[in-house]
Structures are given as C-alpha cells and as structure tokens.
Amino acid sequence: MNAVPGRWRRLARKVAGHASWVLPGARSGWADAMRRELDYIEDDRAALRWAIGCAMASYMARLAALPRLHWRVSSMPVVAGSLLLFIALAMQGHASGEASLAAFEETTCDLPDVTPDIRPRLRCGTVRVPRDHARPDSGSFALAVVLVKSAQQPSLPDPVVYVSGGPGNPLTVYAAYQARNSYAPRRDLILVDQRGTGRSEPSLCPDLDRTLLEANLAVAAEETADAMVKRRAAYITCRDQAIRRGIDLADFGTSVTVEDFEWVRKALGIERWNAYGESYGTAVAMTLVALHPDSVRSAVLDSIYPPAPLPLWSTVVSEARDAFFTHCARDEACSALFPDLAGTYRETLNRLDRAPLIVDVPPQLHQPDDQVRITAPLFEVLVSRLFYFPTTYPRLPRIIQSVHDGDARGLGTLVASEMAAAMAENRATHAAVECRDRPDFRYPLPAGANVLDRTQLYGVCERWSDLGPAPLLPIGASVPTLVLAGQFDPVARPSVSRHVAELIGRNARWVEFPFVGHNVRHFSPCGARIAADFIDNPGQAPDLSCVDRNPPIRFVSKAQLP
Amino acid sequence: MPRKPNSSRQTRALLATLLDRSQTWRHGYDLSKETGLKSGTLYPVLMRLSEQGLLESRWQDPERPGLPPRHVYRLTSTGLAFAREQARSEAVAVVGDPAGAVA
C-alpha cells in the first residue's frame, strides 16, 4: 500500500472522497465506512467501481433526505444515469479553474494516541499548494491536513479551522488531543500543519533545533559573545542549505500561510469556516479576515501575538511578572507566606549571578555530567515560561523562594520539559516566517535587551531573507471577532490585545480572564465555553458570567511542596 | 399497492447472507461479493436496515498496520428474527403453505 497509487486508484479515492462530502451529516459515518473499504480492494478498477457505487449511494441518501422525496432502492436504476452525469460534472468542476486545482488527497491516518472511539472521526490527507501563490507553475508543497469530524452528528456546515502558534509548531500530530477537546459543539475541526512544520513540506533544517538549543543554553549561561556568534552561524548555515536545496525563502511568511489556508479551504469544499487563532495563529487569523473576509464566518483570537512594532519580549515578560507579584502582594495568603515576592525575586537573581546553582537533568538531554547550571539569565527564562502555565501559579512564589534559599532541585524537571518543547518546534520555519513578517528583527539587539531578547532573531533576519508583506490587522472588519486575553500572559499583555480589539472595531469583543496566562482556551474552561458559545452564535454577546467566578489561585507554602 | 417493507430481492439476498453466519461481523466489500450487490445498492440497504434497528454496526481495528479501521455489520436480535421469518416465508412460498404449520 506504500507504492504510488495508480491513476484508477487515485480517481477512486477522489470519487469516494466526494461521496463523503455528499452524504448528509447524520449518515457521514456511512460515507467513512464505504470509503475505508477501498483500501481493502486490491484491484484498482474494482476499487473505482466500488467508489462510483458509493457516490451513487451517497447521492441517493442525500436526495432521500429532501422533503417529500422518498427514493427507494428500486428507484436507483431510474436515476443512475443522471446521477453519474452529475457526479462526473461535479468531479469535472473540481478539476478546472483555480478552486479545482486545490484537492484533498486522502491517506491513512498514522497519528499517535488515537483511540478506537476517535479513529472513525479522523480523515487524514494532504493538500498540494503552490510554492509561490503568484506563480502556480513554481512547484508545490504538500501540506498535512486532518479533518476531525464532530462527535455529534449531523455536524453544522461551517467547521472550525484551528490555526496554531509558533510560527513553527507542529499541529496534526496532536489531532487526537484536538479531537477530544471540541472547539464548538457539532462543528467539524480542520487542522493544518503550516508549510515547513510538522508533516508538511518542506522540511527545513531539522538539525537546527538542537544546535540552537545548545547555543541558547550557552547564551543563558552568559557565554554570550561566543554563543551569539554560534547562533547566527547556525541560522546562516541552515539558510544556505535551504537555498542549495532549491527552496526560495521568499515562499514563507504569514501572507503565504494565509493563501495556503485558502487553498486548503477550497480543497475541502468548505464555503466558510470559523477561524480560531492561538498565539502566532492570531496573526494568521487576522490576516485571513483582512484578505478573505467572505470565507470567514467568525474569528477567535486567543492570546494575541503582538502586531508591529514588536515590543521587546523582556519588557512584556517583566510586565506580566510585575502583575503577578502585585497580585501576590494583594492576596491575603500569598502576601502572608511571601511578604515581598518581587524583592525576593530580585535578590534571587543577584544570588544566582554570584553563585549559579546546579540541577540534574535526564541523560537524554545530553548535557555534560547530566547537569545544567542555573544562572540568573536561565532562571529568568524559566520563570518567564512558568507564566504560560496557570497550573504552576500556586507553586511559583514557593519555587522562587526555594531557589532564593539555594535549593534549585525543583527546576530540573522544568528544564527538561522546556528543552524537550524547544526540540518540538521547527526553529528554521520560525525564522523563515518571522524574517519575512517582522521588520524589527532586521536590526541589531535594541538597548535594554536581556537574555529573553538575545534568543530572538535580532541580527539574523537581515541575512536570512528580504522582508515580505506584513501581517494585517482587519481594521473595521465585518467578521464577528472574539479576543481572549490572559491576565498574566507573558507574550502579549491584555492592554495590547484590548487595543487590537479596538482597532478591529465594533464587531470585536475583548474579554480578559483572571489568573490565566497565554492560550486562554487551553487553561480556562470558562474561556473554552465562551469561545464555543461565540462560535455557535457570533452575532450574539456571549454570556461572560463565568469569568468572575474563576477560582482564585491557592498559593502553597513550602511545607505543601513535594 | 405499497410493497411490503424489506421485501425487495436485494434486501432479501442481503438478509439471507447475514443470516447464514449470523454471529459473525461482516465487512461491506465481502457482503458485496457474496450477495452480488454493488456498493451503490448494498449501502442504502445497510443504512435502512440499521435505521430500522435490524442491523448493528461497529468499527473494527485494522487488519494490518497502515490500513484503516473497517465498519462491520451483523443482525440484531430483532433483525435475526425478521430474517428468519423472511427465510421461512420464502420457503413457504416455494413449497406451499403447510396448513398452518408455520403459525
């Protein structure tokens, strides 16, 4: 089954895929049932005959679902000819004109963590997109696409397209998780690995991640000048490799990604979808709304990725940290346990400056002696990461206090998980997109930069590629938009996302969630519910009453730490 | 006069095949080969029998790695009773009514 499928087999899959779109929602499981038998039919022509029969059955079921039409099986021969003609015309329609060039090539779903209850809900495949949308003859990249059918059938016609962050983060590999966490009841979900990420082409410098990780650790360990040179060299080596492989680095950027999504939408035969952008995905969702408002029914912008001009990341993190320390000072339990958390944090950095602490890490991380030195800059990086995860907020003051007191053992796990996470993101694609999008990264490190900024792309982009079209803000857009912000978000402060919502205008609603950081929906059941209600009925103000019922952070003392 | 439900030749053929090995879960393609029904005829009948509660279905794990799960079918207890009744009435039609013996 791994050989390249022949012409008849490809046509059979196309016809069976078409049948899946024809069959009405409640019976879509039957479309899957018919389609999947194809892979058990060895003869290609028999497979095509099977697929045509499936399409016939689907059209019959569709017609039978129409009011006052009661087709019987025995009626089939009567309409067979006209149906076949209709199918042929429909297929022909898919094969001519711009929309028709976009096609979903279905494959088997080879994904992790897929349980038997979820498996029938997944359809996996690829959509080939032009490398350069302005030049369709420029060659193509295959993008990995997964369609997750709603657990409740029949599903509603406008699905949700989830646009993940990064840029550079894989997505389809998490399809099983996504399938278990519905965005909106009774809506199918579309997942796409953006070009250069996950299972989508092209593969850009997979070795860069490890080289950068080492260099970034060295930056954090304050071997700065040498490490910064090493980082830049690693990026430029990757760039040169990519160009030698015939990849044009101008074929990246948010404006390109948006056209890829449009291509996928057409390939799946979707008229309109609901765009759910998270983190960097908000830049894609906003540009999608700005350029293709007619194809977006609603947009949710969860944890905005700051638009230009890009603030220094260290400044944003510092504001989030201050907000958290202020919250602690006002919280009875936290202030009793940690009377001056901000002061303790500053003092911890001073202590680590004078005497870094050592933590053990798992051997899989290949660190000398399986240890990592916790320097002041590395501690700053780790604490900034903790703001992403509200589940760590109750322990955060205690962690700071422990490191202050010379005990960094609790950080070993965090270092390990952060290093593993860094390896999962495609840093080359991250650079490829950011260097096209962000003028800020074409300049040297700004004054006042610290370790968090030194691991960004300052000083890299001017040698990577030319600047491309900027991501867009859909100012005055008619598409209903919901903007979700977390109180302690270390990527975009709530004031920034509120400003974005104001720029979008009267069709945008902005909601701030207390005790949440980045990625509201993931960490706030209330946020998930509000987003689902909004997608269900974008024209109506969502019920926000759960926002104020968010339980407070229950800070833990040292005695409660494991 | 409206036709008796599930009395078409195709439906009877399918019910007879399902009755033959009533405890075995059957695949669509195999049923198609065994009954001679094309997929365009087979599946509408399967859907209808399922909606009438005569047929149960489930997803079966792939037979080999790399293949998709398969939808499989068998008669429910109601379906079994119905198919037996159908088979018996066919036998009666062939040999003639044995004077109320079928009652």
Side-chain angles (χ1 to χ4, degrees):
Chain A
M1 297 303 291
N2 291 331
V4 177
R7 187 158 57 108
W8 297 117
R9 176 70 59 173
R10 287 203 307 275
L11 186 57
R13 285 183 182 162
K14 217 170 219 184
V15 173
H18 181 75
S20 295
W21 287 108
V22 169
L23 210 57
R27 283 175 157 178
S28 59
W30 285 98
D32 283 339
M34 295 187 268
R35 189 169 42 79
R36 284 164 195 229
E37 286 296 293
L38 270 190
D39 286 350
Y40 292 86
I41 304 174
E42 286 182 6
D43 180 72
D44 287 354
R45 285 170 188 258
L48 179 59
R49 285 194 295 275
W50 179 266
I52 290 172
C54 295
M56 294 273 298
S58 300
Y59 273 100
M60 291 301 294
R62 182 90 186 205
L63 288 170
L66 294 174
R68 291 195 297 279
L69 278 178
H70 299 287
W71 300 86
R72 289 191 310 231
V73 172
S74 58
S75 313
M76 221 180 252
V78 181
V79 291
S82 52
L83 282 180
L84 272 176
L85 182 65
F86 188 52
I87 294 166
L89 287 173
M91 297 301 295
Q92 179 69 22
H94 280 286
S96 64
E98 193 214 298
S100 57
L101 291 172
F104 180 59
E105 286 283 331
E106 193 146 4
T107 59
T108 51
C109 286
D110 176 22
L111 294 166
D113 307 322
V114 175
T115 45
D117 57 319
I118 285 175
R119 194 171 292 127
R121 293 173 49 208
L122 301 181
R123 289 182 62 196
C124 305
T126 56
V127 172
R128 285 211 157 266
V129 296
R131 289 181 175 217
D132 177 354
H133 285 277
R135 292 191 306 120
D137 60 343
S138 56
S140 63
F141 291 133
L143 302 188
V145 176
V146 176
L147 190 159
V148 183
K149 295 207 162 194
S150 165
Q152 293 166 273
Q153 294 289 337
S155 54
L156 294 166
D158 310 311
V160 174
V161 56
Y162 170 63
V163 191
S164 59
N169 287 352
L171 176 60
T172 61
V173 69
Y174 304 119
Y177 167 81
Q178 297 284 348
R180 287 187 194 99
N181 294 276
S182 156
Y183 282 77
R186 293 184 53 195
R187 286 186 196 277
D188 297 342
L189 174 67
I190 314 294
L191 306 174
V192 181
D193 277 333
Q194 294 166 32
R195 63 169 66 190
T197 70
R199 297 166 184 225
S200 287
E201 294 175 343
S203 167
L204 275 185
C205 317
D207 297 336
L208 179 65
D209 296 5
R210 175 156 288 282
T211 315
L212 280 181
L213 180 64
E214 296 300 331
N216 288 346
L217 276 175
V219 170
E222 294 176 314
E223 296 148 11
T224 306
D226 192 31
M228 292 295 280
V229 170
K230 218 163 145 185
R231 273 186 94 244
R232 272 199 288 272
Y235 274 114
I236 297 313
T237 305
C238 163
R239 168 195 177 273
D240 293 345
Q241 274 174 11
I243 292 170
R244 273 200 301 276
R245 286 172 51 215
I247 291 170
D248 185 345
L249 292 168
D251 289 339
F252 288 88
T254 298
S255 63
V256 179
T257 304
V258 159
E259 296 313 317
D260 285 350
F261 272 94
E262 266 298 277
W263 206 260
V264 169
R265 182 184 66 77
K266 289 170 185 168
L268 295 177
I270 295 165
E271 192 180 339
R272 287 195 316 166
W273 54 12
N274 300 279
Y276 194 109
E278 194 165 57
S279 190
Y280 161 73
T282 61
V284 177
M286 284 195 282
T287 308
L288 196 63
V289 170
L291 294 177
H292 301 284
D294 294 340
S295 61
V296 185
R297 176 176 169 270
S298 73
V300 181
L301 308 174
D302 182 344
S303 308
I304 291 267
Y305 192 58
L310 192 64
L312 263 185
W313 192 31
S314 55
T315 310
V316 183
V317 169
S318 168
E319 287 174 14
R321 209 171 45 218
D322 288 348
F324 186 82
F325 292 161
T326 303
H327 175 76
C328 176
R330 289 178 184 158
D331 181 273
E332 201 177 327
C334 191
S335 57
L337 291 163
F338 312 99
D340 179 19
L341 189 58
T344 306
Y345 179 73
R346 283 194 300 274
E347 208 172 296
T348 306
L349 293 180
N350 291 335
R351 288 184 178 193
L352 289 171
D353 257 338
R354 291 194 297 273
L357 298 171
I358 305 292
V359 293
D360 295 328
V361 292
Q364 299 91 304
L365 298 179
H366 306 294
Q367 293 304 301
D369 301 324
D370 297 329
Q371 290 181 328
V372 167
R373 252 172 16 117
I374 305 292
T375 59
L378 182 55
F379 186 60
E380 261 199 286
V381 171
L382 294 173
V383 170
S384 75
R385 292 293 301 169
L386 290 176
F387 284 109
Y388 280 72
F389 308 108
T391 44
T392 65
Y393 293 170
R395 294 183 291 133
L396 181 53
R398 190 65 258 167
I399 290 169
I400 293 170
Q401 184 70 52
S402 295
V403 177
H404 174 271
D405 297 344
D407 178 3
R409 281 173 301 175
L411 294 182
T413 318
L414 179 62
V415 172
S417 63
E418 280 308 300
M419 289 173 77
M423 297 296 290
E425 186 182 0
N426 187 305
R427 300 300 300 179
T429 302
H430 177 264
V433 173
E434 291 284 76
C435 288
R436 294 286 289 166
D437 282 7
R438 299 285 191 172
D440 312 78
F441 289 141
R442 313 194 78 72
Y443 309 118
L445 265 177
N450 80 3
V451 62
L452 292 163
D453 312 306
R454 283 200 290 274
T455 51
Q456 301 300 303
L457 291 162
Y458 297 100
V460 170
C461 285
E462 84 276 20
R463 294 186 62 194
W464 180 277
S465 64
D466 291 336
L467 190 63
L472 300 172
L473 277 176
I475 295 170
S478 58
V479 175
T481 303
L482 177 69
V483 183
L484 308 179
Q487 183 187 7
F488 303 129
D489 190 337
V491 178
R493 303 298 303 132
S495 56
V496 171
S497 60
R498 187 174 54 208
H499 182 55
V500 167
E502 285 165 0
L503 287 172
I504 294 172
R506 61 189 175 86
N507 290 314
R509 298 172 205 278
W510 172 83
V511 188
E512 180 181 352
F513 293 80
F515 322 134
V516 180
H518 205 54
N519 303 354
V520 171
R521 179 183 179 276
H522 185 73
F523 292 107
S524 164
C526 169
R529 194 160 61 247
I530 288 172
D533 286 350
F534 172 77
I535 294 169
D536 200 32
N537 193 349
Q540 194 175 305
D543 175 7
L544 304 178
S545 57
C546 64
V547 176
D548 297 326
R549 293 199 300 269
N550 215 358
I553 304 170
R554 295 188 183 282
F555 292 98
V556 299
S557 68
K558 190 166 188 175
Q560 291 170 287
L561 272 184
Chain B
M1 194 175 100
R3 197 169 54 169
K4 209 172 136 193
N6 299 320
S7 63
S8 72
R9 182 179 54 79
Q10 296 92 337
T11 307
R12 282 186 278 116
L14 180 61
L15 286 170
T17 304
L18 288 164
L19 184 61
D20 190 32
R21 279 179 283 148
S22 60
Q23 291 309 304
T24 309
W25 289 97
R26 315 291 296 274
H27 303 118
Y29 187 51
D30 301 340
L31 285 172
S32 165
K33 283 194 293 187
E34 215 165 313
T35 57
L37 299 176
K38 305 264 186 279
S39 55
T41 305
L42 172 70
Y43 276 94
V45 180
L46 287 173
M47 288 182 217
R48 185 158 39 79
L49 293 177
S50 172
E51 281 161 10
Q52 290 170 350
L54 302 178
L55 187 78
E56 59 182 332
S57 60
R58 68 177 175 90
W59 288 96
Q60 190 180 62
D61 278 342
E63 291 165 13
R64 295 194 304 275
L67 285 173
R70 269 179 118 170
H71 215 214
V72 289
Y73 317 95
R74 71 178 182 191
L75 292 168
T76 60
S77 53
T78 319
L80 207 53
F82 181 82
R84 284 193 181 123
E85 179 58 35
Q86 189 85 273
R88 197 157 49 175
S89 63
E90 276 194 35
V92 168
V94 172
V95 300
D97 187 351
V102 292

